[in-house]
Amino acid sequence: MTQHQTHSTRRHTTALAAASLCLSLLASAAQADTVVIVHPSNATALDDEQISKIFLGQTKTFAGGGEAIPVDQKDGAAREDFGNKVLKKNQSQLKALWARQIFTGGAKPPKELGGDDEVLKFVASTPGAIGYVEAGKANSSVKVVKR
């Protein structure tokens, strides 16, 4: 290979790597736009702090006094987005937190469901339920309390 061909190949490889990185960032941003949902009969207004307390096992009730039943999604973009944006913790921090809670006999982690469809079905049919789904999946069977 000539020096010109080697330089050209390097530039091409760098451009492809940059384009690939941009596409993956855009794809993960598009997939990870989550909303917090509750049963449609739930009239409680919720902010990030209250949602965090429910999902981190620090409270078992909504501000209005009703039982809060949080449900998590198994690993995925929605779970990562929810953890980072609402709980302000990444997945390894959350795993460590729950390991400590379980070891000390504290709170138990939220039940894990398989994905958006399972969370929607559970929240729609369970009056105290609270969960999260990708924004585009929320429908009239649930009430969105946080975008």
Side-chain angles (χ1 to χ4, degrees):
M1 226 182 242
T2 68
Q3 187 175 6
H4 176 71
Q5 288 172 319
T6 302
H7 182 67
S8 178
T9 301
R10 253 191 236 132
R11 272 196 335 224
H12 184 70
T13 302
T14 303
L16 280 174
S20 176
L21 177 63
C22 286
L23 284 173
S24 66
L25 288 172
L26 285 172
S28 66
Q31 292 175 336
D33 189 18
T34 57
V35 294
V36 178
I37 58 171
V38 295
H39 187 272
S41 68
N42 190 330
T44 306
L46 294 166
D47 61 19
D48 283 3
E49 182 181 354
Q50 293 164 322
I51 294 167
S52 290
K53 285 182 177 184
I54 292 168
F55 275 88
L56 298 176
Q58 297 166 351
T59 186
K60 294 180 186 297
T61 59
F62 290 105
E67 179 186 18
I69 306 165
V71 289
D72 245 334
Q73 291 199 24
K74 292 190 177 169
D75 295 334
R79 183 173 176 148
E80 285 185 37
D81 184 60
F82 177 76
N84 291 332
K85 289 182 181 173
V86 179
L87 304 180
K88 309 290 190 241
K89 297 187 183 310
N90 65 37
Q91 292 308 300
S92 51
Q93 290 171 319
L94 286 169
K95 285 179 184 171
L97 177 136
W98 285 114
R100 281 192 308 277
Q101 290 276 38
I102 291 167
F103 181 75
T104 60
K108 292 180 181 171
K111 177 180 181 174
E112 287 186 2
L113 299 176
D116 292 333
D117 293 337
E118 286 185 31
V119 171
L120 280 167
K121 185 176 178 184
F122 182 83
V123 171
S125 63
T126 310
I130 179 171
Y132 55 89
V133 295
E134 286 186 27
K137 298 282 186 147
N139 60 38
S140 61
S141 71
V142 295
K143 180 177 169 185
V144 175
V145 292
K146 163 116 178 86
R147 293 200 176 273

